[in-house]
Amino acid sequence: MGNSIGKSLVLTSFGDSHGPYIGAVLDGFPSGIEIDLELIKLDLNRRRPGQSAISTLRNEEDNFQIISGIFEGKSTGTPITILIENKDHKSSDYESLKNLYRPGHADFVYDKKYGFRDHRGGGRSSARVTAAWVAAGAIAKTLLQKWYQCEVHSVVSSVYNLEVDNVFQLDWHEAENNLVRCPNPEIAQKMIDCIHQAQIDGDSLGGKIATKVTNCPIGFGEPLFDKLNADLAKSIFSINAVKGLEFGSGFESSKMLGSEYNDDAVSIENKEGGITGGLSNGKQLEFTTAFKPVSSIAKTQKINTKEGQIIDHSIEGRHDPCVLPRAVPIVEAMTALCLADHALLNLKFGKL
Amino acid sequence: MGNSIGKSLVLTSFGDSHGPYIGAVLDGFPSGIEIDLELIKLDLNRRRPGQSAISTLRNEEDNFQIISGIFEGKSTGTPITILIENKDHKSSDYESLKNLYRPGHADFVYDKKYGFRDHRGGGRSSARVTAAWVAAGAIAKTLLQKWYQCEVHSVVSSVYNLEVDNVFQLDWHEAENNLVRCPNPEIAQKMIDCIHQAQIDGDSLGGKIATKVTNCPIGFGEPLFDKLNADLAKSIFSINAVKGLEFGSGFESSKMLGSEYNDDAVSIENKEGGITGGLSNGKQLEFTTAFKPVSSIAKTQKINTKEGQIIDHSIEGRHDPCVLPRAVPIVEAMTALCLADHALLNLKFGKL
Amino acid sequence: MGNSIGKSLVLTSFGDSHGPYIGAVLDGFPSGIEIDLELIKLDLNRRRPGQSAISTLRNEEDNFQIISGIFEGKSTGTPITILIENKDHKSSDYESLKNLYRPGHADFVYDKKYGFRDHRGGGRSSARVTAAWVAAGAIAKTLLQKWYQCEVHSVVSSVYNLEVDNVFQLDWHEAENNLVRCPNPEIAQKMIDCIHQAQIDGDSLGGKIATKVTNCPIGFGEPLFDKLNADLAKSIFSINAVKGLEFGSGFESSKMLGSEYNDDAVSIENKEGGITGGLSNGKQLEFTTAFKPVSSIAKTQKINTKEGQIIDHSIEGRHDPCVLPRAVPIVEAMTALCLADHALLNLKFGKL
Amino acid sequence: MGNSIGKSLVLTSFGDSHGPYIGAVLDGFPSGIEIDLELIKLDLNRRRPGQSAISTLRNEEDNFQIISGIFEGKSTGTPITILIENKDHKSSDYESLKNLYRPGHADFVYDKKYGFRDHRGGGRSSARVTAAWVAAGAIAKTLLQKWYQCEVHSVVSSVYNLEVDNVFQLDWHEAENNLVRCPNPEIAQKMIDCIHQAQIDGDSLGGKIATKVTNCPIGFGEPLFDKLNADLAKSIFSINAVKGLEFGSGFESSKMLGSEYNDDAVSIENKEGGITGGLSNGKQLEFTTAFKPVSSIAKTQKINTKEGQIIDHSIEGRHDPCVLPRAVPIVEAMTALCLADHALLNLKFGKL
């Protein structure tokens, strides 16, 4: 279980990283909305492995097909099913890992929980399955755009110790012009260099992704348990390697006085990050997601074996030294799916 | 909607801050478990208003009754219903707020979303309803304790700019010996002084709460969308005023190298905070929650009126200058409910 | 679990037949709707034990209170919580049943499933809990009436071998004028006599209830798994003692030719019972529910004991010889709750 | 919405009758269970169009593939995704129906509800989508068989006015030896003749299907809203053309005395149909489903047009004169899925 997310707009994910297909069913999407397949392709390309010199060498084209729910270019209101073929899955890369519990991976807990695991690249724990989330997210973005001119954008705001100041104040269009998806071109270059160095060192890097949502309508979210921030948190923490999340000034806000923090009613200040009392307040949504460094590293490290020994081991395989650039469309997708779900939930109040 | 949370163990919250009762139904709780009403009372007392010199003067006894689901001191497997009377609700305190949108509160978005609002203290947005969550959480704690000797503890790790170092290394029993629930007595005293000063200044403070879970079994959580961290995130962000959450080294982990971050297999290091790939990994769960400062302050601030004017206003009423000490049992309760839910979900794997 | 029903309008039932209260939380009910407590009282009186010479002698007043979700006579959009006190529960009546598995009751399967059972009147299996369903159903009726002038009515169409012909063609207002709630006064009198005789004989009777819904809007229901008839079926079979259900001409339709059955587009014929392809078609909803005879009878019968013996036993206690008259408001309530749920689900199509 | 059914074992249906594929995702199925693809194929063949002289001439091979959730012949515990290609969909057959509301079909209510409809064969309302349910049902049967030696069988017990007496007493293996799937060979032949005649007359027939479940464990079902009969009712009424359902002696039981009805504790009598108080009682499950005659008939009938006229019309296309024989595996599938769901729900009680 745990393969579905959403209440009015439900994403059901299926497929294993090394099976023939991964995919998803998106149920609850309204009828009559034009679906631009190019937008889906675009986001899949932003996520796909092998897209640039700083990502994994695994090269997956991520060709997708939609086999239900769209007719003559428009949604029909019936479940939208997305299929993505797994082309370049080299199970042999993983053969040596059969009896190892890779640090940072779910190998050990999987074995303990299920009594077995698919050692070929993580199985259902693999970030591979997020390709279908990204495709579904692109469809959710279309809904938000059409109904509200609402747009979801994410950028890389830090890699390792390289951080962009005041990232929410920058022009984010710049981010798509560099390999690392950072809106500050100078820091972007430093990040790229840093990632190259990690690659050379057989090491890996984490970082942060900043997300903003423009034209988010007022009143998304429910006051108690389906707060917009709570549902976004569930969506964002569903992404592999996420270890922290903050809205608006987040952790910094814990160090402020109430008189400092309370957003002045007339200013454009947005310390709340666009959500008050669990509901979107009409300002831009702003939140920041922290990713741990990639778990698989070539550098030799201590590894537990299934038999309980500790060995020195270097994990081979074609891993990203830093997933942040490829995680940008995943964060956008999970955000868009969550917002579109709340858009549909809000229809009961006669809102559009 | 949005009044229920959980999958196998479902908490349904009901009641308004100024109605006759608030309460909750806890459905899915197994039969035959001894329920100690004293433990419920204890946690309610840790949350209750007026408990100490640094909390609100509103004095609510929070007497509760359990009207179903418990028979001769044991759970029967049927829904457990908790009722808590609202005794000390002075609606008059709030009369002056009828036409004001208090900064940091949901007043404005409520009006926009629902077209009306109960101005008497926040209605469903009021933290008053969390009393019933705390009672339900105490029952969930009993399950975790009985089945796994698993315990959930939270402490205040920072107030304003006063922060405890290495909070997870301290002895947390100390925390319940001071008004602010901080495990470092010296910093606790500074925090108390700081809160008193904020009270005098008519201002408010935020802070952070650290949570650890001992003896959490391996394998709680699902690999995809019901990751343990994702469900905990949803639970924790359901608490009023939470603006950030991080597991283990959290935001700090984004600045580490993979070779630094990966927890050595043999050491007691726990940078993951006890969750790997969305599943509990057998180490202690550790996470940190950031609270914004209390929104209601006596200090004069700019406030929007319903009619669109901006006025200088001082919010009267008996508000906490800092909710952190009273939020400790709320964080514990939401954590315990989430873990007990996953305990029950795990039964399908024949685990106990 | 299994204590909640509904998707957009969720009824959560709580309480045991011999605890202090039974009750329910109705979540998802829209705000601003006037709730007439007299209507609730009226339906509770139609269901209550001891209401007439042909029902059980147990006399429960079924005084109720609503402790949340209604403010100044109107719904607030927050969960509506109904409490009904259990006043006349004589556990002693049941003491003798402790080690017996009453035929037709869940005693045996309860013991097998849960390893224990509350022998005091059925616990959660008792029809006692339906009192709160009836109260919630009265609130759902208010919604249907206000939004669509839609009304739900049920009558007793047969008791034992006494059956009303063409029951859907009769004037049903007559039904509330006799003790048995049958729209044909002559047959009603025969039914009453028949029930009296069963009472004298220490025996019990079953029968059928006919239900019609006037002004049900077109398009309630979903084409696949949440068909209106499927959801009504789940709701109706949730009522104790129901063993059959048919829509429109139901079982008779299986003996017709397609050319006979297909409702002529212009006539008022309604063999479909108002539902086509799982969706309400704008005609009156019509369905019939079959109840088995009451399981508890005074007449001596073979009973299994917990120890595996078979004994001759006469079940004492104050049981109804025929529950049909009291089941009428229960069928109405479950129907109204199901329809109101679909009314709310339909809002996503901008329908009111 | 309304495309998913089940709680622990969730079937999500996707695909339109005239799109490239229909299919389903089965989520929650346990790992390690051997899946025999031949059994799936067998049931698909029992449902497929064109299988015999008495079914539609549309000839769909229903070749299926399973693209996730099965590895080396065993379930992996991850979602099982079934794809079935739509090969023989002649949209042209349906072109003439674009502006007609076929009696008995959802055409009219679809238009009213959604503002549009796919006139090519019913879209999501088409029984075409049940092919994937049958495949999923075959997988559910495997689980029931492996865990409990529990088996689900359905047969045709009546067609039009031809009815088998005491159908539950017969040897049902006989049923698969004739085209109509009736366990009484003589009546089977009469049924076949009768169906042929209806075909010649351009008319259609309904009938009844009897279902029995052997070795159903005691205690499936929940006492309140997830009663086993209530969940079976929801599952069975999800099947197109079902208008009635009764358990055990069903409607007949409404005419019995309690002293007649109560199943003698020692006899093999089973008037309850194997379910007492909403829980399976250890006897064989027995229930009967009534189907209305097929709506599409070649015989000229009055039809409403979209523009509000009434015309005489004969519906062309390759329709079944009687769906009962092909509905047998569909009833079995929905029954097996519902039982397997309850098997998984029951794991929380430590049962297997």
Side-chain angles (χ1 to χ4, degrees):
Chain A
M1 307 296 291
N3 295 299
S4 296
I5 193 166
K7 284 166 293 284
S8 268
L9 183 68
V10 183
L11 181 76
T12 298
S13 167
F14 61 80
D16 309 282
S17 63
H18 286 68
Y21 293 96
I22 56 121
V25 180
L26 186 64
D27 191 15
F29 198 81
S31 65
I33 295 188
E34 250 175 83
I35 306 298
D36 186 342
L37 300 182
E38 287 306 309
L39 288 176
I40 300 174
K41 200 170 177 181
L42 190 71
D43 271 352
L44 281 174
N45 279 335
R46 294 167 76 213
R47 195 214 75 96
R48 84 178 177 84
Q51 66 182 265
S52 82
I54 57 169
S55 76
T56 168
L57 295 178
R58 268 179 300 125
N59 204 324
E60 283 166 293
E61 275 277 345
D62 284 344
N63 285 331
F64 70 101
Q65 48 179 324
I66 293 181
I67 61 167
S68 75
I70 297 184
F71 180 56
E72 298 180 349
K74 287 189 178 175
S75 62
T76 62
T78 63
I80 298 173
T81 308
I82 301 153
L83 287 187
I84 303 177
E85 220 175 322
N86 285 329
K87 286 180 178 160
D88 186 39
H89 47 90
K90 298 196 183 164
S91 297
S92 58
D93 279 4
Y94 296 95
E95 202 51 39
S96 64
L97 299 175
K98 208 166 173 174
N99 291 307
L100 299 180
Y101 294 143
R102 294 167 299 162
H105 283 277
D107 300 349
F108 169 69
V109 289
Y110 243 63
D111 246 13
K112 291 288 171 192
K113 176 163 188 160
Y114 299 109
F116 80 101
R117 78 192 154 95
D118 186 341
H119 58 277
R120 302 165 309 156
R124 285 295 280 167
S125 289
S126 165
R128 173 75 191 129
V129 298
T130 61
W133 307 0
V134 165
I139 295 171
K141 282 179 182 176
T142 303
L143 177 83
L144 296 170
Q145 166 63 38
K146 176 166 171 176
W147 282 6
Y148 313 107
Q149 288 78 48
C150 166
E151 303 217 334
V152 178
H153 288 290
S154 297
V155 296
V156 171
S157 62
S158 84
V159 165
Y160 192 48
N161 57 7
L162 298 162
E163 182 149 11
V164 178
D165 287 333
N166 298 315
V167 70
F168 290 105
Q169 266 66 62
L170 300 184
D171 173 10
W172 285 18
H173 293 97
E174 183 58 38
E176 290 297 318
N177 296 332
N178 59 66
L179 297 185
V180 79
R181 297 203 166 85
C182 170
N184 178 321
E186 283 163 59
I187 295 180
Q189 191 50 55
K190 286 184 193 166
M191 287 172 170
I192 292 167
D193 296 344
C194 185
I195 293 171
H196 274 305
Q197 191 57 48
Q199 205 162 19
I200 291 162
D201 297 344
D203 216 323
S204 68
L205 305 170
K208 293 190 287 189
I209 286 179
T211 301
K212 69 180 173 196
V213 181
T214 53
N215 292 328
C216 178
I218 297 179
F220 278 15
E222 304 279 323
L224 233 76
F225 290 130
D226 296 342
K227 286 184 165 76
L228 184 58
N229 41 341
D231 280 349
L232 282 168
K234 163 132 188 166
S235 297
I236 297 301
F237 275 107
S238 294
I239 303 169
N240 309 45
V242 170
K243 298 304 279 188
L245 175 67
E246 58 182 5
F247 292 89
S249 32
F251 277 85
E252 274 311 302
S253 67
S254 73
K255 300 176 190 163
M256 295 182 195
L257 295 168
S259 57
E260 285 177 289
Y261 179 83
N262 281 347
D263 288 338
D264 186 311
V266 284
S267 79
I268 55 164
E269 291 217 32
N270 186 11
K271 294 185 219 77
E272 291 274 38
I275 300 178
T276 307
L279 288 80
S280 58
N281 63 19
K283 293 186 179 179
Q284 185 168 274
L285 300 194
E286 295 180 356
F287 58 85
T288 307
T289 308
F291 286 76
K292 68 177 185 180
V294 171
S295 298
S296 294
I297 56 175
K299 218 170 191 171
T300 299
Q301 53 183 338
K302 301 275 179 215
I303 295 196
N304 283 52
T305 69
K306 213 171 165 175
E307 289 74 29
Q309 293 173 300
I310 301 144
I311 61 168
D312 285 323
H313 192 85
S314 153
I315 295 173
E316 286 170 50
R318 301 154 298 164
H319 305 287
D320 291 87
C322 176
V323 295
L324 275 287
R326 291 179 55 209
V328 162
I330 305 174
V331 171
E332 287 177 3
M334 292 310 290
T335 303
L337 286 162
C338 180
L339 291 173
D341 187 25
H342 276 280
L344 293 167
L345 285 170
N346 252 17
L347 291 188
K348 66 177 175 223
F349 301 102
K351 298 287 171 63
L352 192 65
Chain B
M1 306 294 290
N3 296 301
S4 296
I5 193 166
K7 285 167 292 286
S8 268
L9 183 67
V10 183
L11 181 74
T12 298
S13 166
F14 61 80
D16 309 282
S17 62
H18 286 68
Y21 294 94
I22 56 121
V25 180
L26 186 65
D27 191 16
F29 197 82
S31 65
I33 295 189
E34 248 175 85
I35 306 297
D36 186 342
L37 300 183
E38 287 307 309
L39 289 176
I40 300 174
K41 200 169 176 181
L42 190 70
D43 271 353
L44 280 175
N45 279 335
R46 292 167 77 214
R47 197 214 74 97
R48 83 177 177 85
Q51 65 182 264
S52 81
I54 59 168
S55 76
T56 168
L57 295 179
R58 268 179 300 126
N59 205 323
E60 283 166 292
E61 275 278 347
D62 284 344
N63 286 330
F64 71 100
Q65 45 178 326
I66 293 182
I67 60 168
S68 74
I70 297 185
F71 180 57
E72 299 180 348
K74 286 190 178 176
S75 61
T76 61
T78 63
I80 299 174
T81 307
I82 300 154
L83 286 188
I84 303 177
E85 220 175 322
N86 285 328
K87 285 184 180 159
D88 186 39
H89 47 90
K90 297 194 185 167
S91 296
S92 57
D93 279 5
Y94 295 94
E95 201 53 37
S96 64
L97 299 173
K98 206 166 176 175
N99 291 305
L100 299 180
Y101 293 143
R102 294 167 297 163
H105 284 277
D107 301 347
F108 169 69
V109 291
Y110 243 65
D111 245 14
K112 291 289 172 192
K113 176 161 187 162
Y114 299 107
F116 80 100
R117 77 190 155 96
D118 185 339
H119 57 276
R120 300 167 309 158
R124 285 297 277 169
S125 288
S126 164
R128 172 76 191 129
V129 297
T130 61
W133 308 0
V134 166
I139 296 172
K141 283 179 180 177
T142 303
L143 177 83
L144 296 170
Q145 166 63 36
K146 174 164 172 177
W147 282 5
Y148 312 107
Q149 289 78 49
C150 167
E151 302 218 334
V152 179
H153 288 290
S154 297
V155 296
V156 172
S157 62
S158 83
V159 165
Y160 192 49
N161 56 7
L162 298 162
E163 184 150 9
V164 177
D165 286 332
N166 298 316
V167 70
F168 289 105
Q169 266 67 62
L170 301 184
D171 173 8
W172 286 19
H173 292 98
E174 182 59 37
E176 292 296 320
N177 296 333
N178 59 64
L179 298 185
V180 80
R181 297 205 165 84
C182 169
N184 177 320
E186 282 162 59
I187 295 182
Q189 189 51 53
K190 286 184 193 166
M191 288 172 171
I192 292 167
D193 296 343
C194 186
I195 293 171
H196 274 305
Q197 189 59 47
Q199 205 163 18
I200 290 162
D201 296 344
D203 217 325
S204 69
L205 305 169
K208 295 191 286 189
I209 286 178
T211 302
K212 68 179 173 195
V213 181
T214 53
N215 291 330
C216 178
I218 297 179
F220 277 15
E222 304 281 322
L224 232 74
F225 290 130
D226 296 342
K227 287 183 165 77
L228 184 58
N229 42 343
D231 280 350
L232 282 168
K234 163 131 188 165
S235 297
I236 297 299
F237 275 107
S238 295
I239 302 170
N240 308 45
V242 170
K243 299 303 281 189
L245 176 67
E246 57 182 7
F247 291 88
S249 33
F251 277 84
E252 273 311 301
S253 67
S254 72
K255 300 176 190 163
M256 297 182 194
L257 295 168
S259 57
E260 287 176 289
Y261 180 84
N262 281 346
D263 289 337
D264 186 313
V266 285
S267 80
I268 55 162
E269 293 220 30
N270 188 10
K271 294 187 219 74
E272 292 274 39
I275 300 178
T276 307
L279 287 79
S280 58
N281 63 19
K283 294 189 180 178
Q284 184 166 277
L285 300 195
E286 296 179 356
F287 57 86
T288 307
T289 308
F291 287 75
K292 68 177 185 181
V294 171
S295 298
S296 295
I297 55 174
K299 217 171 194 172
T300 299
Q301 53 184 340
K302 300 277 177 211
I303 296 194
N304 283 50
T305 69
K306 213 171 168 177
E307 289 75 27
Q309 292 174 299
I310 301 143
I311 61 169
D312 286 323
H313 192 87
S314 155
I315 295 173
E316 289 169 49
R318 298 154 298 164
H319 306 286
D320 291 85
C322 177
V323 294
L324 274 287
R326 291 179 52 209
V328 162
I330 306 175
V331 171
E332 288 177 2
M334 293 310 291
T335 302
L337 285 162
C338 180
L339 291 172
D341 188 26
H342 276 280
L344 293 169
L345 285 169
N346 250 19
L347 291 189
K348 66 181 175 217
F349 301 101
K351 297 290 172 63
L352 191 67
Chain C
M1 306 294 291
N3 295 300
S4 296
I5 193 165
K7 286 166 292 285
S8 266
L9 183 68
V10 183
L11 181 75
T12 298
S13 167
F14 61 79
D16 309 282
S17 63
H18 287 68
Y21 294 94
I22 56 120
V25 180
L26 186 65
D27 191 15
F29 197 82
S31 63
I33 294 187
E34 249 174 85
I35 306 298
D36 186 343
L37 300 184
E38 287 306 311
L39 289 176
I40 299 174
K41 201 169 175 180
L42 191 70
D43 272 353
L44 281 174
N45 278 336
R46 293 168 76 211
R47 195 213 75 97
R48 82 179 177 83
Q51 64 182 267
S52 81
I54 58 169
S55 76
T56 169
L57 295 179
R58 269 180 300 126
N59 205 323
E60 282 166 295
E61 274 278 342
D62 283 346
N63 286 329
F64 70 101
Q65 47 178 324
I66 294 182
I67 61 168
S68 74
I70 297 185
F71 179 56
E72 300 180 347
K74 287 189 177 175
S75 62
T76 61
T78 63
I80 298 173
T81 307
I82 300 154
L83 287 188
I84 301 177
E85 222 175 321
N86 285 328
K87 284 183 180 159
D88 187 40
H89 45 89
K90 298 200 183 160
S91 297
S92 57
D93 279 2
Y94 296 95
E95 201 52 38
S96 64
L97 300 173
K98 208 166 175 175
N99 290 307
L100 299 180
Y101 294 143
R102 294 168 297 163
H105 283 278
D107 300 349
F108 170 67
V109 291
Y110 243 64
D111 245 13
K112 291 291 171 191
K113 176 161 187 161
Y114 299 108
F116 80 100
R117 79 189 153 98
D118 186 340
H119 58 276
R120 301 168 307 156
R124 284 298 277 168
S125 288
S126 165
R128 173 77 192 128
V129 297
T130 61
W133 308 1
V134 166
I139 296 172
K141 283 180 181 176
T142 304
L143 178 83
L144 296 169
Q145 166 63 37
K146 176 166 172 175
W147 282 7
Y148 313 106
Q149 287 76 51
C150 167
E151 302 218 335
V152 179
H153 288 290
S154 298
V155 296
V156 172
S157 62
S158 85
V159 165
Y160 192 49
N161 57 5
L162 298 162
E163 182 149 12
V164 178
D165 285 333
N166 297 315
V167 69
F168 290 106
Q169 266 66 60
L170 301 184
D171 173 9
W172 286 18
H173 293 97
E174 184 58 36
E176 291 297 320
N177 296 332
N178 57 66
L179 297 185
V180 80
R181 297 205 166 85
C182 170
N184 177 321
E186 282 162 59
I187 297 180
Q189 190 52 52
K190 287 184 193 164
M191 289 172 170
I192 292 168
D193 296 344
C194 186
I195 294 171
H196 275 305
Q197 190 57 48
Q199 207 162 16
I200 291 163
D201 297 345
D203 216 323
S204 68
L205 305 170
K208 294 191 285 188
I209 286 179
T211 302
K212 69 179 171 196
V213 182
T214 52
N215 292 328
C216 178
I218 297 179
F220 277 16
E222 304 280 323
L224 234 74
F225 290 129
D226 296 343
K227 286 183 166 77
L228 184 58
N229 41 342
D231 280 350
L232 281 168
K234 163 133 186 162
S235 297
I236 297 300
F237 276 107
S238 295
I239 301 170
N240 308 46
V242 171
K243 298 305 280 190
L245 176 66
E246 57 183 4
F247 292 89
S249 31
F251 277 85
E252 274 310 302
S253 66
S254 72
K255 300 176 190 163
M256 296 182 195
L257 295 169
S259 57
E260 286 176 289
Y261 179 84
N262 281 347
D263 288 337
D264 187 310
V266 284
S267 79
I268 54 163
E269 293 219 29
N270 187 11
K271 294 187 219 73
E272 292 274 39
I275 300 178
T276 307
L279 287 80
S280 56
N281 64 18
K283 293 188 180 175
Q284 185 168 275
L285 301 194
E286 295 179 356
F287 56 86
T288 307
T289 308
F291 287 76
K292 69 176 186 182
V294 171
S295 299
S296 294
I297 55 174
K299 219 169 191 170
T300 299
Q301 53 184 339
K302 301 274 177 212
I303 296 196
N304 283 51
T305 68
K306 214 172 165 176
E307 288 74 28
Q309 294 173 297
I310 301 146
I311 61 168
D312 285 324
H313 192 86
S314 153
I315 295 173
E316 288 170 49
R318 299 156 297 163
H319 305 288
D320 291 86
C322 176
V323 295
L324 275 286
R326 291 179 53 209
V328 162
I330 305 175
V331 171
E332 287 178 2
M334 293 311 288
T335 303
L337 285 163
C338 180
L339 290 173
D341 188 24
H342 276 280
L344 294 168
L345 285 169
N346 251 17
L347 291 188
K348 67 180 176 220
F349 300 102
K351 297 289 170 63
L352 192 64
Chain D
M1 306 297 292
N3 296 299
S4 296
I5 193 166
K7 286 166 292 286
S8 266
L9 182 68
V10 183
L11 181 74
T12 298
S13 167
F14 60 81
D16 309 282
S17 62
H18 286 69
Y21 293 95
I22 56 121
V25 180
L26 187 64
D27 191 16
F29 198 82
S31 65
I33 295 188
E34 248 174 86
I35 307 297
D36 186 342
L37 300 184
E38 287 307 311
L39 289 177
I40 300 173
K41 202 171 174 179
L42 190 69
D43 271 351
L44 281 174
N45 279 336
R46 294 168 75 214
R47 195 214 73 98
R48 84 176 175 85
Q51 63 181 269
S52 84
I54 57 167
S55 75
T56 170
L57 296 177
R58 270 178 300 126
N59 205 323
E60 284 166 293
E61 275 277 344
D62 284 345
N63 286 330
F64 71 99
Q65 47 178 323
I66 293 182
I67 61 168
S68 74
I70 297 184
F71 179 57
E72 299 180 348
K74 287 191 178 173
S75 61
T76 61
T78 64
I80 299 174
T81 307
I82 301 153
L83 285 188
I84 302 176
E85 221 176 320
N86 285 329
K87 284 181 179 162
D88 186 38
H89 47 90
K90 298 198 182 160
S91 296
S92 57
D93 278 3
Y94 294 96
E95 200 54 37
S96 64
L97 298 174
K98 209 167 174 174
N99 292 307
L100 298 180
Y101 293 143
R102 295 168 297 163
H105 283 279
D107 299 350
F108 169 69
V109 290
Y110 245 63
D111 245 14
K112 291 289 172 193
K113 175 160 187 163
Y114 299 108
F116 80 100
R117 76 192 156 97
D118 186 340
H119 57 277
R120 302 167 308 157
R124 285 297 277 168
S125 288
S126 165
R128 173 74 191 130
V129 297
T130 60
W133 308 359
V134 166
I139 296 172
K141 283 179 181 176
T142 305
L143 177 82
L144 295 171
Q145 166 63 38
K146 178 168 170 173
W147 282 7
Y148 313 106
Q149 289 78 48
C150 167
E151 302 219 334
V152 179
H153 288 291
S154 298
V155 296
V156 172
S157 62
S158 84
V159 165
Y160 192 50
N161 57 7
L162 299 162
E163 182 149 9
V164 178
D165 285 333
N166 296 318
V167 70
F168 289 106
Q169 265 67 60
L170 301 184
D171 173 9
W172 286 19
H173 293 98
E174 183 58 39
E176 291 296 319
N177 295 333
N178 58 66
L179 297 185
V180 79
R181 297 203 165 84
C182 169
N184 178 321
E186 283 162 61
I187 294 180
Q189 191 50 52
K190 288 184 193 165
M191 287 172 171
I192 293 167
D193 296 343
C194 185
I195 294 171
H196 275 304
Q197 191 56 48
Q199 205 161 20
I200 290 162
D201 297 344
D203 216 324
S204 68
L205 304 169
K208 294 191 285 187
I209 287 178
T211 301
K212 68 179 173 196
V213 182
T214 52
N215 291 329
C216 177
I218 298 179
F220 278 15
E222 303 279 324
L224 232 74
F225 290 129
D226 296 343
K227 287 183 164 76
L228 184 59
N229 41 343
D231 280 350
L232 282 168
K234 164 134 187 162
S235 297
I236 297 301
F237 276 107
S238 295
I239 301 171
N240 308 45
V242 171
K243 299 303 281 189
L245 177 66
E246 56 182 7
F247 291 88
S249 32
F251 277 86
E252 273 311 302
S253 67
S254 72
K255 300 176 191 162
M256 296 181 194
L257 294 169
S259 57
E260 288 176 287
Y261 180 84
N262 281 346
D263 289 338
D264 187 312
V266 284
S267 79
I268 56 163
E269 291 218 33
N270 187 10
K271 295 185 219 76
E272 292 273 39
I275 300 177
T276 306
L279 286 81
S280 57
N281 64 19
K283 294 191 179 176
Q284 186 167 273
L285 299 194
E286 297 180 354
F287 57 86
T288 307
T289 309
F291 287 76
K292 68 176 184 181
V294 171
S295 299
S296 294
I297 56 174
K299 217 172 194 169
T300 300
Q301 54 183 340
K302 301 276 176 212
I303 295 196
N304 283 49
T305 69
K306 213 172 168 177
E307 289 75 26
Q309 292 173 299
I310 301 144
I311 62 170
D312 285 324
H313 192 86
S314 152
I315 295 173
E316 288 170 49
R318 300 155 298 164
H319 306 288
D320 292 86
C322 177
V323 294
L324 274 286
R326 291 178 54 209
V328 161
I330 306 175
V331 171
E332 287 177 3
M334 293 311 290
T335 303
L337 286 163
C338 180
L339 290 173
D341 188 25
H342 276 280
L344 293 167
L345 285 170
N346 250 18
L347 291 188
K348 66 180 176 221
F349 301 102
K351 298 289 170 62
L352 191 64

